[in-house]
């Protein structure tokens, strides 16, 4: 076991973690952890873009209003305004770093040389993007910048096990984490005066997801075990259009295709979205996902279709080169053929409760991005607000850490990892079986449409699995699969209990037993130790 010391430990290498690392001062010694390669985070795979008010015909108030409408009455206005008002500066920072956003042909350095697109829920074109591979452009740029910073030490193929808490002046303070080296099997100690959770979301708790394999809710589960409140975990966003193909694992079809005029079709070629919402294909994601789910179940169809072939081929190839190339690999030419699509778990709107500085309930511990709950997304995240949240709150957390760094206590050297009582397991089949069972009952019972009876069944299974996984964890050497499974069963229970407590339908949470919305909705806040 090795022990490392840094000023700040950042767990996660997506937009939130990289932004925080880059925004911290050069004299701050930073450790940045990635579960896989640095590019394994969800950011790298984001196709759409970043929402910000960049056009003179747009306004901050319009962006605020659109976010509130999409959030179905649960957005916290202070979080919405803080994010939206800091949006233009965040985009300028990315441009200054060298992110190559798509420009208008012949565009110069004038007022608006960049192409803006529109996505569901937005009343203006305000999505700045890099064709349909914005995440890759942003991630590559930020990683390149981080690698040039001598004060940042990068640790790849590391998964955090649990946070380290030490008492300081009568209160528990986060001062590091136990870190498992996936390649060597060793577990080390990383001590730090501040810890930032930027581990992304938890969509891997579902059988079908658009997320990469690392999205297992690690940060949320660790924060919960450390004593942090979580909020609004019932609001799991299902992206309406994931490519339906046996060889296309987790491949997302960007919402910008609908924003640029794509039509959703039944198997017989008929459009159907206008029967569900007057905005048609530009309705918010929860409406579109439920409509597709409804039509698939009504017809017994394996998938529905998204068609943009009525647009000129050159336009399609220029604006959606990633989708075009991927589909062509699989024998689909989207300039002529409709794209088979299904909904898939996509974004975790709830998370660890934080304030405007990114601080959690535990001193010394921050949470940023999809791991966190700021109140920005309410009951339904509006497209392309999530990356913006990472940049805005990443800067806020870095600024707060920098202001207080000199006064933060040094962690004590008394955190040791003890595995003297555990053995190697010859029953790894238990892990794979529980993985499959957990994700399948979450998909079947806690998916796009829910009922009280299904939720009760899901909770019963989650409690049994949690006990079984806990016993397994206590007796055997850990592995990445076991750690992820241990975290996912915590996430599953948080989602189920949150869903059971909301006796209404709102945004992403649709209950057959309670199809109407209540007049005075409140956030669902869960506190450790209450169950």
């Amino acid at each position: 076991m090795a022990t490392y010391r840094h000023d700040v430990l950042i767990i996660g290498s997506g937009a939130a973690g990289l932004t925080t690392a880059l925004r911290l001062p050069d004299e701050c010694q930073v450790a940045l952890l990635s579960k896989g390669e640095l590019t394994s985070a969800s950011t790298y795979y984001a196709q759409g873009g970043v929402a910000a008010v960049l056009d003179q015909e747009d306004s901050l108030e319009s962006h605020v209003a659109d976010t509130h409408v999409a959030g179905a009455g649960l957005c916290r206005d202070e979080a919405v305004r803080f994010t939206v008002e800091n949006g233009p500066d965040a985009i300028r920072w990315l441009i200054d770093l060298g992110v190559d956003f798509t420009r208008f042909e012949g565009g110069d350095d004038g007022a608006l040389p960049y192409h803006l697109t529109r996505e569901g829920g937005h009343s203006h074109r305000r999505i700045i993007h890099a064709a349909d591979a914005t995440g890759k452009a942003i991630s590559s740029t930020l990683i390149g910048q981080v690698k040039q910073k001598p004060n940042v030490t990068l640790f790849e193929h590391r998964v955090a096990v649990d946070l380290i808490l030490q008492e300081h002046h009568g209160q528990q303070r986060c001062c590091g984490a136990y870190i498992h080296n996936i390649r060597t099997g060793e577990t080390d100690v990383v001590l730090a005066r501040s810890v930032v959770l930027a581990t992304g979301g938890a969509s891997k708790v579902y059988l079908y997801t658009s997320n990469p394999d690392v999205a297992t809710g690690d940060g949320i589960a660790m924060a919960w075990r450390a004593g942090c409140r979580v909020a609004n975990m019932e609001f799991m966003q299902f992206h309406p259009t994931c490519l339906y193909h046996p060889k296309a694992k987790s491949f997302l079809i960007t919402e910008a295709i609908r924003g640029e005029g794509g039509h959703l079709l039944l198997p017989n070629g008929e459009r159907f979205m206008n029967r569900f919402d007057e905005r048609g294909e530009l309705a918010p994601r929860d409406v579109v996902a439920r409509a597709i789910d409804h039509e698939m179940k009504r017809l017994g169809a394996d998938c529905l279709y998204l068609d943009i072939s009525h647009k000129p081929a050159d336009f399609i190839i220029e604006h959606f080169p990633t989708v075009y190339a991927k589909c062509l690999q699989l024998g689909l030419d989207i300039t002529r053929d409709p794209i088979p699509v299904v909904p898939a778990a996509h974004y975790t709107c709830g998370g660890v409760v934080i304030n405007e500085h990114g601080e959690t309930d535990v001193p010394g511990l921050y949470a940023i991005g999809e791991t966190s709950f700021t109140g920005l997304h309410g009951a339904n995240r509006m497209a392309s607000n999530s990356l913006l949240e990472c940049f805005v709150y990443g800067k806020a957390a870095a600024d707060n850490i920098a202001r207080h760094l000199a006064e933060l206590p040094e962690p004590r050297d008394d955190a040791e990892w003890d595995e003297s009582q555990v053995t190697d397991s010859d029953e790894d089949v238990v892990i794979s079986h529980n993985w499959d069972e957990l994700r399948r009952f979450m998909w079947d019972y806690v998916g796009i449409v829910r009922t009280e009876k299904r939720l009760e069944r899901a909770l019963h299974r989650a409690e049994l699995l949690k006990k079984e996984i806990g016993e397994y964890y206590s007796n055997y050497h850990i592995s990445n699969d076991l750690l992820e499974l241990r975290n996912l069963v915590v996430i599953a229970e948080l989602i189920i209990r949150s869903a059971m407590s909301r006796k209404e339908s709102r945004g992403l949470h649709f209950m057959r037993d309670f199809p109407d919305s209540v007049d005075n909705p409140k956030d669902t806040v869960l506190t450790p130790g209450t169950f």
Side-chain angles (χ1 to χ4, degrees):
M1 183 188 74
T3 298
Y4 302 91
R5 276 186 173 272
H6 297 268
D7 293 319
V8 180
L9 167 62
I10 300 172
I11 304 174
S13 63
L18 293 168
T19 297
T20 307
L22 290 171
R23 292 289 198 174
L24 286 166
D26 290 343
E27 62 270 19
C28 182
Q29 295 302 308
V30 180
L32 189 144
L33 269 62
S34 177
K35 196 191 284 190
E37 308 289 337
L38 289 176
T39 55
S40 63
S42 293
T43 298
Y44 188 83
Y45 301 94
Q47 295 177 17
V50 190
V53 176
L54 304 169
D55 189 348
Q56 292 180 350
E57 295 182 4
D58 197 2
S59 69
L60 296 175
E61 285 302 320
S62 176
H63 192 176
V64 168
D66 289 346
T67 301
H68 276 292
V69 170
L74 267 186
C75 296
R76 294 188 176 181
D77 190 61
E78 64 273 16
V80 175
R81 291 186 179 278
F82 178 69
T83 307
V84 168
E85 289 169 3
N86 285 282
D89 284 343
I91 299 303
R92 282 190 283 272
W93 177 70
L94 292 170
I95 291 170
D96 289 343
L97 287 180
V99 177
D100 188 19
F101 291 115
T102 298
R103 294 172 176 262
F104 281 115
E105 274 191 41
D108 52 25
D109 293 326
L112 190 67
Y114 297 100
H115 180 268
L116 302 178
T117 191
R118 182 180 171 195
E119 295 181 348
H122 291 276
S123 57
H124 291 82
R125 285 181 173 264
R126 64 169 69 102
I127 316 300
I128 190 168
H129 62 101
D132 62 347
T134 308
K136 183 177 181 180
I138 291 173
S139 185
S140 299
T141 301
L142 297 185
I143 288 170
Q145 292 288 331
V146 162
K147 285 181 174 179
Q148 294 178 34
K149 287 183 72 80
N151 64 310
V152 179
T153 304
L154 303 174
F155 294 87
E156 295 181 294
H157 305 285
R158 305 299 208 284
V159 58
V161 181
D162 265 321
L163 299 169
I164 297 171
L165 302 180
Q166 293 179 351
E167 188 171 319
H168 183 76
H169 291 323
Q171 67 176 174
Q172 291 290 306
R173 178 178 184 83
C174 184
C175 56
Y178 297 109
I179 305 298
H180 183 68
N181 187 321
I182 296 171
R183 286 185 165 168
T184 67
E186 297 170 349
T187 300
D188 300 320
V189 172
V190 179
L191 298 174
R193 293 193 281 173
S194 290
V195 176
V196 180
L197 296 172
T199 58
S203 290
K204 197 73 177 177
V205 75
Y206 287 99
L207 187 61
Y208 301 111
T209 174
S210 64
N211 285 198
D213 288 343
V214 296
T216 51
D218 300 339
I220 300 172
M222 285 190 295
W224 174 259
R225 288 194 292 266
C228 295
R229 291 170 300 154
V230 300
N232 286 7
M233 289 297 291
E234 68 269 37
F235 298 118
M236 299 293 291
Q237 187 177 67
F238 288 77
H239 197 288
T241 53
C242 206
L243 180 60
Y244 179 74
H245 194 282
K247 296 181 180 177
K249 178 185 176 184
S250 303
F251 187 77
L252 191 70
I253 303 298
T254 174
E255 186 164 355
I257 287 184
R258 286 184 285 124
E260 294 294 343
H263 298 157
L264 283 166
L265 307 176
L266 299 177
N268 65 1
E270 175 190 347
R271 292 178 70 182
F272 61 91
M273 272 308 304
N274 286 334
R275 298 205 304 270
F276 294 88
D277 194 286
E278 61 184 11
R279 291 164 289 188
E281 280 83 1
L282 288 177
R285 286 177 174 173
D286 63 314
V287 176
V288 179
R290 273 200 304 276
I292 294 174
D293 183 67
H294 177 273
E295 291 299 302
M296 285 174 60
K297 287 174 178 171
R298 180 178 71 86
L299 298 169
D302 291 329
C303 66
L304 297 188
Y305 296 88
L306 177 60
D307 186 22
I308 195 156
S309 64
H310 50 279
K311 291 280 188 178
D314 290 346
F315 173 90
I316 296 169
I317 295 169
E318 178 187 353
H319 282 78
F320 309 112
T322 305
V323 175
Y324 174 75
K326 180 67 174 181
C327 288
L328 206 58
Q329 267 183 5
L330 302 171
L332 291 168
D333 183 348
I334 67 171
T335 66
R336 296 183 303 179
D337 306 319
I339 307 166
V341 294
V342 291
H346 183 59
Y347 191 86
T348 308
C349 288
V352 183
V353 175
I354 63 169
N355 63 15
E356 68 273 19
H357 305 301
E359 295 173 299
T360 71
D361 296 332
V362 175
L365 181 64
Y366 295 75
I368 307 295
E370 198 175 351
T371 303
S372 71
F373 167 78
T374 63
L376 170 65
H377 304 304
N380 182 21
R381 175 185 73 104
M382 188 167 69
S384 294
N385 270 352
S386 48
L387 279 174
L388 182 63
E389 182 184 41
C390 293
F391 305 129
V392 170
Y393 280 88
K395 180 181 185 300
D399 289 347
N400 187 262
I401 292 170
R403 278 195 299 272
H404 300 288
L405 191 62
E407 63 202 56
L408 298 179
E410 281 286 346
R412 298 187 301 274
D413 282 321
D414 59 3
E416 293 186 359
W417 177 255
D418 182 12
E419 55 179 20
S420 59
Q421 303 301 310
V422 300
T423 61
D424 289 319
S425 171
D426 59 358
E427 295 291 332
D428 284 351
V429 67
V430 174
I431 298 177
S432 60
H433 176 82
N434 288 353
W435 256 95
D436 183 66
E437 182 182 349
L438 175 68
R439 298 176 70 211
R440 192 169 294 278
F441 78 64
M442 286 297 291
W443 182 262
D444 290 340
Y445 296 157
V446 201
I448 296 173
V449 177
R450 299 161 178 172
T451 67
E452 284 197 304
K453 186 172 287 187
R454 290 180 194 169
L455 292 177
E456 288 168 2
R457 288 172 176 162
L459 181 61
H460 177 65
R461 282 161 174 75
E463 289 174 335
L464 290 174
L465 274 181
K466 186 170 71 170
K467 182 179 179 182
E468 187 172 313
I469 294 164
E471 291 173 353
Y472 194 99
Y473 176 82
S474 299
N475 291 304
Y476 299 112
H477 285 293
I478 59 175
S479 66
N480 184 54
D481 284 348
L482 176 58
L483 293 173
E484 289 183 335
L485 179 62
R486 175 178 176 244
N487 290 332
L488 280 178
V489 77
V490 172
I491 298 298
E493 184 175 10
L494 293 175
I495 294 171
I496 296 163
R497 289 188 182 275
S498 297
M500 292 178 79
S501 69
R502 185 168 293 282
K503 308 297 187 183
E504 63 163 347
S505 289
R506 181 176 300 275
L508 301 166
H509 174 71
F510 187 82
M511 285 283 285
R512 278 214 182 117
D513 310 270
F514 306 100
D516 300 320
S517 299
V518 300
D519 292 334
N520 297 299
K522 293 181 173 59
D523 293 321
T524 304
V525 181
L526 302 180
T527 303
T530 54
F531 56 82

